Amino acid sequence: MTKLGTQLLLFGGNFFRHPRMLGSVVPSSRFVVSRVLGPIDWERARVLVEYGPGVGTMTASMLRRMRPDAALVVLETNPAFVRYLRRAFPDPRLHVVHGSAEQAPDALRRLNLEQADYVVSGIPFSTIPAPVRERILRHTRELLDPAGLFLVYQFTRAVLPDLQRLYAEVREAFEPRNVLPARLFYCGARQETASGAAVVAAAS
């Protein structure tokens, strides 16, 4: 079986067992991958984090574009996906963590990494209990570099009010070429100047 066939079988099987964890029966399309990762400055990015990598559709594209000295930390709760990622991507820049997005700050500390330049998330926030969702979003804002970006792709706009509450600038986009059509959110982290004024890193 081809690598793509293995990915589709693994992803589809896990969707039917855990539909609330995945949100879609197939991995993200190349169009979604391109739109989500578009704002990343690959020359600047040294620490990247991904929540819910699944079978590594987004992960693979990130690894192809990353600097040789960059690090990618992915957090995945599904043990089948964790095993697959570790086997399929033997790249020393990749750190596969079997755990929740809530644990991202601890994961970075264990790896002696500083704040993340970019955090990419495809986990279905609309199906996550509100207290857990709030902790994930707050932890993400805290671990982001002041000039960093939180790049989110979902199938609904349900998480938008939470993002707008926590980030000074949230830019939206829509990608119909996907199963299901995807909502994209580019969130700029707050940055304090010497005068105390808030400056936002805008998504390009």
Short mmCIF file of all heavy atoms in Angstrom, two decimals, residues 130-177:
data_model
loop_
_atom_site.label_atom_id
_atom_site.label_comp_id
_atom_site.label_asym_id
_atom_site.label_seq_id
_atom_site.Cartn_x
_atom_site.Cartn_y
_atom_site.Cartn_z
N ALA A 130 -15.50 23.69 27.12
CA ALA A 130 -15.12 25.10 27.23
C ALA A 130 -13.93 25.35 28.15
O ALA A 130 -13.03 26.12 27.79
CB ALA A 130 -16.32 25.93 27.68
N PRO A 131 -13.85 24.75 29.35
CA PRO A 131 -12.68 25.01 30.21
C PRO A 131 -11.37 24.56 29.58
O PRO A 131 -10.34 25.23 29.71
CB PRO A 131 -12.99 24.22 31.49
CG PRO A 131 -14.47 24.04 31.49
CD PRO A 131 -14.85 23.90 30.04
N VAL A 132 -11.40 23.42 28.89
CA VAL A 132 -10.19 22.91 28.24
C VAL A 132 -9.81 23.82 27.06
O VAL A 132 -8.64 24.16 26.87
CB VAL A 132 -10.39 21.46 27.75
CG1 VAL A 132 -9.15 20.96 27.02
CG2 VAL A 132 -10.72 20.55 28.93
N ARG A 133 -10.81 24.20 26.28
CA ARG A 133 -10.56 25.10 25.15
C ARG A 133 -9.93 26.41 25.63
O ARG A 133 -8.98 26.91 25.03
CB ARG A 133 -11.87 25.39 24.42
CG ARG A 133 -11.71 26.29 23.21
CD ARG A 133 -12.99 26.36 22.40
NE ARG A 133 -14.08 26.99 23.12
CZ ARG A 133 -15.20 26.36 23.50
NH1 ARG A 133 -15.36 25.08 23.22
NH2 ARG A 133 -16.16 27.01 24.14
N GLU A 134 -10.45 26.95 26.73
CA GLU A 134 -9.92 28.20 27.27
C GLU A 134 -8.46 28.05 27.69
O GLU A 134 -7.63 28.92 27.41
CB GLU A 134 -10.76 28.66 28.46
CG GLU A 134 -10.30 29.95 29.12
CD GLU A 134 -10.57 31.19 28.28
OE1 GLU A 134 -11.33 31.09 27.29
OE2 GLU A 134 -10.03 32.26 28.62
N ARG A 135 -8.14 26.93 28.34
CA ARG A 135 -6.75 26.71 28.78
C ARG A 135 -5.82 26.59 27.57
O ARG A 135 -4.72 27.15 27.58
CB ARG A 135 -6.66 25.46 29.65
CG ARG A 135 -7.22 25.65 31.05
CD ARG A 135 -6.79 24.52 31.97
NE ARG A 135 -7.34 23.23 31.59
CZ ARG A 135 -8.52 22.77 31.99
NH1 ARG A 135 -9.30 23.53 32.77
NH2 ARG A 135 -8.95 21.57 31.62
N ILE A 136 -6.25 25.85 26.55
CA ILE A 136 -5.41 25.70 25.35
C ILE A 136 -5.14 27.05 24.71
O ILE A 136 -3.99 27.38 24.37
CB ILE A 136 -6.09 24.75 24.34
CG1 ILE A 136 -6.12 23.32 24.88
CG2 ILE A 136 -5.34 24.79 22.99
CD1 ILE A 136 -6.93 22.36 24.03
N LEU A 137 -6.18 27.85 24.55
CA LEU A 137 -6.02 29.14 23.88
C LEU A 137 -5.16 30.09 24.69
O LEU A 137 -4.34 30.84 24.13
CB LEU A 137 -7.39 29.75 23.61
CG LEU A 137 -8.26 28.99 22.60
CD1 LEU A 137 -9.65 29.62 22.51
CD2 LEU A 137 -7.61 28.94 21.23
N ARG A 138 -5.32 30.09 26.01
CA ARG A 138 -4.50 30.97 26.85
C ARG A 138 -3.05 30.52 26.88
O ARG A 138 -2.13 31.34 26.82
CB ARG A 138 -5.07 31.06 28.26
CG ARG A 138 -6.35 31.87 28.34
CD ARG A 138 -6.74 32.22 29.75
NE ARG A 138 -7.90 33.08 29.75
CZ ARG A 138 -7.86 34.40 29.60
NH1 ARG A 138 -6.68 35.01 29.43
NH2 ARG A 138 -8.96 35.13 29.61
N HIS A 139 -2.84 29.20 27.00
CA HIS A 139 -1.46 28.68 26.96
C HIS A 139 -0.79 29.03 25.65
O HIS A 139 0.39 29.37 25.61
CB HIS A 139 -1.46 27.16 27.15
CG HIS A 139 -1.78 26.70 28.53
ND1 HIS A 139 -1.66 27.51 29.62
CD2 HIS A 139 -2.22 25.49 29.00
CE1 HIS A 139 -2.01 26.84 30.71
NE2 HIS A 139 -2.35 25.61 30.36
N THR A 140 -1.55 28.96 24.57
CA THR A 140 -0.99 29.26 23.26
C THR A 140 -0.54 30.71 23.18
O THR A 140 0.57 31.01 22.70
CB THR A 140 -2.02 28.98 22.15
OG1 THR A 140 -2.42 27.61 22.22
CG2 THR A 140 -1.44 29.28 20.77
N ARG A 141 -1.37 31.62 23.65
CA ARG A 141 -0.99 33.04 23.62
C ARG A 141 0.26 33.29 24.46
O ARG A 141 1.13 34.07 24.09
CB ARG A 141 -2.14 33.91 24.12
CG ARG A 141 -1.93 35.39 23.84
CD ARG A 141 -3.03 36.24 24.40
NE ARG A 141 -3.04 36.22 25.85
CZ ARG A 141 -3.82 37.01 26.60
NH1 ARG A 141 -4.67 37.84 26.02
NH2 ARG A 141 -3.78 36.94 27.91
N GLU A 142 0.36 32.59 25.59
CA GLU A 142 1.51 32.79 26.48
C GLU A 142 2.80 32.23 25.89
O GLU A 142 3.88 32.80 26.11
CB GLU A 142 1.22 32.13 27.82
CG GLU A 142 0.12 32.85 28.61
CD GLU A 142 -0.44 32.01 29.75
OE1 GLU A 142 0.09 30.88 29.97
OE2 GLU A 142 -1.40 32.46 30.39
N LEU A 143 2.71 31.12 25.15
CA LEU A 143 3.96 30.52 24.63
C LEU A 143 4.40 31.13 23.30
O LEU A 143 5.52 30.91 22.86
CB LEU A 143 3.85 29.00 24.52
CG LEU A 143 2.87 28.35 23.54
CD1 LEU A 143 3.42 28.30 22.12
CD2 LEU A 143 2.55 26.94 24.00
N LEU A 144 3.52 31.93 22.67
CA LEU A 144 3.89 32.57 21.41
C LEU A 144 4.87 33.71 21.62
O LEU A 144 4.72 34.51 22.55
CB LEU A 144 2.65 33.13 20.71
CG LEU A 144 1.96 32.30 19.64
CD1 LEU A 144 0.76 33.08 19.11
CD2 LEU A 144 2.89 31.92 18.51
N ASP A 145 5.86 33.80 20.75
CA ASP A 145 6.73 34.96 20.70
C ASP A 145 5.87 36.20 20.43
O ASP A 145 4.84 36.10 19.75
CB ASP A 145 7.74 34.77 19.56
CG ASP A 145 8.70 35.93 19.45
OD1 ASP A 145 9.72 35.92 20.14
OD2 ASP A 145 8.42 36.85 18.64
N PRO A 146 6.23 37.38 20.98
CA PRO A 146 5.42 38.59 20.74
C PRO A 146 5.15 38.87 19.27
O PRO A 146 4.14 39.47 18.93
CB PRO A 146 6.27 39.69 21.39
CG PRO A 146 7.01 39.00 22.47
CD PRO A 146 7.33 37.64 21.93
N ALA A 147 6.06 38.46 18.41
CA ALA A 147 5.86 38.67 16.96
C ALA A 147 5.30 37.43 16.28
O ALA A 147 5.28 37.35 15.05
CB ALA A 147 7.18 39.08 16.31
N GLY A 148 4.83 36.46 17.08
CA GLY A 148 4.39 35.19 16.53
C GLY A 148 2.96 35.21 16.02
O GLY A 148 2.22 36.18 16.21
N LEU A 149 2.57 34.12 15.38
CA LEU A 149 1.22 33.97 14.84
C LEU A 149 0.64 32.61 15.25
O LEU A 149 1.35 31.60 15.27
CB LEU A 149 1.23 34.05 13.31
CG LEU A 149 1.48 35.42 12.68
CD1 LEU A 149 1.58 35.27 11.16
CD2 LEU A 149 0.36 36.39 13.03
N PHE A 150 -0.66 32.63 15.55
CA PHE A 150 -1.42 31.42 15.82
C PHE A 150 -2.28 31.18 14.58
O PHE A 150 -3.14 31.99 14.23
CB PHE A 150 -2.29 31.64 17.06
CG PHE A 150 -3.08 30.44 17.52
CD1 PHE A 150 -2.63 29.15 17.29
CD2 PHE A 150 -4.28 30.62 18.21
CE1 PHE A 150 -3.36 28.05 17.73
CE2 PHE A 150 -5.00 29.53 18.66
CZ PHE A 150 -4.55 28.25 18.43
N LEU A 151 -2.05 30.07 13.87
CA LEU A 151 -2.69 29.76 12.60
C LEU A 151 -3.68 28.62 12.82
O LEU A 151 -3.26 27.50 13.13
CB LEU A 151 -1.64 29.38 11.56
CG LEU A 151 -0.48 30.39 11.43
CD1 LEU A 151 0.61 29.83 10.52
CD2 LEU A 151 -0.97 31.72 10.92
N VAL A 152 -4.95 28.91 12.66
CA VAL A 152 -6.01 27.97 13.02
C VAL A 152 -6.86 27.63 11.80
O VAL A 152 -7.24 28.53 11.04
CB VAL A 152 -6.91 28.58 14.12
CG1 VAL A 152 -8.01 27.60 14.53
CG2 VAL A 152 -6.08 29.00 15.33
N TYR A 153 -7.17 26.35 11.62
CA TYR A 153 -8.12 25.96 10.58
C TYR A 153 -9.20 25.07 11.20
O TYR A 153 -8.92 24.18 11.98
CB TYR A 153 -7.44 25.29 9.39
CG TYR A 153 -6.63 24.04 9.70
CD1 TYR A 153 -7.10 22.77 9.38
CD2 TYR A 153 -5.36 24.14 10.27
CE1 TYR A 153 -6.35 21.64 9.64
CE2 TYR A 153 -4.60 23.01 10.54
CZ TYR A 153 -5.10 21.76 10.22
OH TYR A 153 -4.35 20.65 10.49
N GLN A 154 -10.47 25.41 10.88
CA GLN A 154 -11.63 24.75 11.45
C GLN A 154 -12.67 24.54 10.35
O GLN A 154 -12.51 25.01 9.22
CB GLN A 154 -12.25 25.64 12.54
CG GLN A 154 -11.30 26.02 13.68
CD GLN A 154 -11.09 24.92 14.68
OE1 GLN A 154 -11.95 24.65 15.51
NE2 GLN A 154 -9.94 24.26 14.62
N PHE A 155 -13.78 23.88 10.73
CA PHE A 155 -14.89 23.71 9.79
C PHE A 155 -16.09 24.56 10.18
O PHE A 155 -17.11 24.54 9.49
CB PHE A 155 -15.27 22.23 9.70
CG PHE A 155 -14.11 21.37 9.26
CD1 PHE A 155 -13.67 20.33 10.06
CD2 PHE A 155 -13.46 21.63 8.07
CE1 PHE A 155 -12.59 19.56 9.67
CE2 PHE A 155 -12.38 20.86 7.67
CZ PHE A 155 -11.94 19.82 8.47
N THR A 156 -15.98 25.31 11.27
CA THR A 156 -17.01 26.25 11.67
C THR A 156 -16.32 27.51 12.19
O THR A 156 -15.10 27.54 12.36
CB THR A 156 -17.92 25.70 12.79
OG1 THR A 156 -17.20 25.73 14.05
CG2 THR A 156 -18.35 24.27 12.50
N ARG A 157 -17.12 28.55 12.46
CA ARG A 157 -16.58 29.80 13.01
C ARG A 157 -16.79 29.86 14.52
O ARG A 157 -16.66 30.93 15.12
CB ARG A 157 -17.25 31.00 12.33
CG ARG A 157 -17.05 31.05 10.84
CD ARG A 157 -17.82 32.16 10.16
NE ARG A 157 -17.17 33.45 10.36
CZ ARG A 157 -17.77 34.50 10.92
NH1 ARG A 157 -19.02 34.39 11.36
NH2 ARG A 157 -17.13 35.64 11.03
N ALA A 158 -17.10 28.73 15.14
CA ALA A 158 -17.48 28.72 16.56
C ALA A 158 -16.39 29.28 17.47
O ALA A 158 -16.68 29.90 18.49
CB ALA A 158 -17.85 27.30 16.99
N VAL A 159 -15.13 29.05 17.13
CA VAL A 159 -14.04 29.49 18.00
C VAL A 159 -13.71 30.97 17.82
O VAL A 159 -12.97 31.55 18.61
CB VAL A 159 -12.77 28.63 17.74
CG1 VAL A 159 -12.10 29.02 16.40
CG2 VAL A 159 -11.77 28.76 18.89
N LEU A 160 -14.26 31.62 16.81
CA LEU A 160 -13.90 33.01 16.50
C LEU A 160 -14.07 33.97 17.68
O LEU A 160 -13.16 34.77 17.94
CB LEU A 160 -14.70 33.49 15.29
CG LEU A 160 -14.42 34.93 14.85
CD1 LEU A 160 -12.95 35.13 14.50
CD2 LEU A 160 -15.30 35.30 13.65
N PRO A 161 -15.19 33.96 18.42
CA PRO A 161 -15.30 34.89 19.56
C PRO A 161 -14.19 34.73 20.59
O PRO A 161 -13.70 35.71 21.15
CB PRO A 161 -16.67 34.55 20.16
CG PRO A 161 -17.45 33.97 19.02
CD PRO A 161 -16.44 33.20 18.22
N ASP A 162 -13.77 33.49 20.84
CA ASP A 162 -12.68 33.26 21.80
C ASP A 162 -11.36 33.82 21.26
O ASP A 162 -10.58 34.40 22.02
CB ASP A 162 -12.53 31.76 22.08
CG ASP A 162 -13.71 31.20 22.84
OD1 ASP A 162 -14.21 31.87 23.75
OD2 ASP A 162 -14.14 30.08 22.51
N LEU A 163 -11.11 33.62 19.98
CA LEU A 163 -9.88 34.15 19.39
C LEU A 163 -9.88 35.67 19.43
O LEU A 163 -8.85 36.29 19.75
CB LEU A 163 -9.74 33.66 17.94
CG LEU A 163 -9.59 32.14 17.75
CD1 LEU A 163 -9.60 31.80 16.27
CD2 LEU A 163 -8.31 31.63 18.41
N GLN A 164 -11.00 36.29 19.11
CA GLN A 164 -11.08 37.74 19.11
C GLN A 164 -10.93 38.32 20.51
O GLN A 164 -10.43 39.43 20.68
CB GLN A 164 -12.40 38.19 18.49
CG GLN A 164 -12.48 37.91 17.00
CD GLN A 164 -13.83 38.24 16.41
OE1 GLN A 164 -14.86 38.08 17.06
NE2 GLN A 164 -13.85 38.71 15.16
N ARG A 165 -11.34 37.57 21.51
CA ARG A 165 -11.20 38.02 22.90
C ARG A 165 -9.75 37.98 23.36
O ARG A 165 -9.33 38.81 24.17
CB ARG A 165 -12.08 37.13 23.79
CG ARG A 165 -11.99 37.41 25.28
CD ARG A 165 -13.09 36.67 26.04
NE ARG A 165 -13.20 35.28 25.64
CZ ARG A 165 -12.45 34.30 26.15
NH1 ARG A 165 -11.51 34.57 27.06
NH2 ARG A 165 -12.62 33.05 25.75
N LEU A 166 -8.98 37.03 22.85
CA LEU A 166 -7.62 36.83 23.35
C LEU A 166 -6.54 37.47 22.47
O LEU A 166 -5.41 37.67 22.93
CB LEU A 166 -7.34 35.34 23.47
CG LEU A 166 -8.12 34.61 24.57
CD1 LEU A 166 -7.95 33.11 24.43
CD2 LEU A 166 -7.67 35.06 25.95
N TYR A 167 -6.88 37.79 21.23
CA TYR A 167 -5.89 38.37 20.31
C TYR A 167 -6.38 39.72 19.80
O TYR A 167 -7.56 39.90 19.52
CB TYR A 167 -5.63 37.43 19.13
CG TYR A 167 -4.89 36.17 19.55
CD1 TYR A 167 -5.60 35.06 19.99
CD2 TYR A 167 -3.50 36.12 19.53
CE1 TYR A 167 -4.93 33.92 20.41
CE2 TYR A 167 -2.83 34.98 19.94
CZ TYR A 167 -3.55 33.89 20.38
OH TYR A 167 -2.88 32.77 20.80
N ALA A 168 -5.45 40.64 19.68
CA ALA A 168 -5.81 41.99 19.25
C ALA A 168 -6.19 42.03 17.78
O ALA A 168 -6.92 42.92 17.35
CB ALA A 168 -4.65 42.95 19.51
N GLU A 169 -5.71 41.09 16.99
CA GLU A 169 -6.08 41.05 15.57
C GLU A 169 -6.29 39.61 15.14
O GLU A 169 -5.42 38.76 15.35
CB GLU A 169 -5.00 41.69 14.70
CG GLU A 169 -5.35 41.66 13.22
CD GLU A 169 -4.37 42.45 12.38
OE1 GLU A 169 -3.95 43.54 12.79
OE2 GLU A 169 -4.01 41.96 11.31
N VAL A 170 -7.44 39.37 14.55
CA VAL A 170 -7.75 38.05 13.99
C VAL A 170 -8.25 38.27 12.57
O VAL A 170 -9.24 38.96 12.34
CB VAL A 170 -8.84 37.32 14.81
CG1 VAL A 170 -9.15 35.96 14.16
CG2 VAL A 170 -8.38 37.12 16.25
N ARG A 171 -7.54 37.69 11.60
CA ARG A 171 -7.94 37.81 10.20
C ARG A 171 -8.53 36.49 9.73
O ARG A 171 -7.99 35.43 10.05
CB ARG A 171 -6.73 38.19 9.33
CG ARG A 171 -7.09 38.50 7.89
CD ARG A 171 -5.93 39.20 7.17
NE ARG A 171 -4.74 38.38 7.09
CZ ARG A 171 -4.53 37.46 6.14
NH1 ARG A 171 -5.46 37.22 5.23
NH2 ARG A 171 -3.41 36.77 6.12
N GLU A 172 -9.63 36.55 9.01
CA GLU A 172 -10.33 35.35 8.55
C GLU A 172 -10.09 35.09 7.06
O GLU A 172 -9.87 36.02 6.29
CB GLU A 172 -11.83 35.49 8.76
CG GLU A 172 -12.28 35.51 10.19
CD GLU A 172 -13.80 35.54 10.26
OE1 GLU A 172 -14.43 34.50 9.94
OE2 GLU A 172 -14.36 36.60 10.61
N ALA A 173 -10.19 33.81 6.70
CA ALA A 173 -10.17 33.41 5.29
C ALA A 173 -11.02 32.16 5.16
O ALA A 173 -11.38 31.51 6.16
CB ALA A 173 -8.75 33.17 4.81
N PHE A 174 -11.35 31.82 3.92
CA PHE A 174 -12.20 30.67 3.65
C PHE A 174 -11.60 29.87 2.49
O PHE A 174 -11.21 30.45 1.48
CB PHE A 174 -13.62 31.14 3.29
CG PHE A 174 -14.57 30.02 2.95
CD1 PHE A 174 -14.99 29.13 3.91
CD2 PHE A 174 -15.05 29.87 1.64
CE1 PHE A 174 -15.87 28.10 3.59
CE2 PHE A 174 -15.93 28.85 1.32
CZ PHE A 174 -16.35 27.96 2.31
N GLU A 175 -11.51 28.56 2.67
CA GLU A 175 -10.98 27.70 1.62
C GLU A 175 -12.01 26.61 1.29
O GLU A 175 -12.19 25.67 2.08
CB GLU A 175 -9.66 27.07 2.05
CG GLU A 175 -9.04 26.13 1.03
CD GLU A 175 -8.99 26.73 -0.36
OE1 GLU A 175 -8.21 27.70 -0.56
OE2 GLU A 175 -9.73 26.25 -1.24
N PRO A 176 -12.71 26.76 0.15
CA PRO A 176 -13.75 25.79 -0.20
C PRO A 176 -13.21 24.46 -0.75
O PRO A 176 -13.94 23.47 -0.76
CB PRO A 176 -14.55 26.53 -1.27
CG PRO A 176 -13.55 27.44 -1.93
CD PRO A 176 -12.62 27.86 -0.82
N ARG A 177 -11.95 24.44 -1.21
CA ARG A 177 -11.41 23.24 -1.84
C ARG A 177 -10.89 22.27 -0.79
O ARG A 177 -9.69 22.02 -0.65
CB ARG A 177 -10.32 23.64 -2.84
CG ARG A 177 -10.83 24.45 -4.01
CD ARG A 177 -9.71 25.09 -4.80
NE ARG A 177 -8.99 26.09 -4.00
CZ ARG A 177 -7.97 26.80 -4.44
NH1 ARG A 177 -7.52 26.61 -5.67
NH2 ARG A 177 -7.38 27.69 -3.66
#
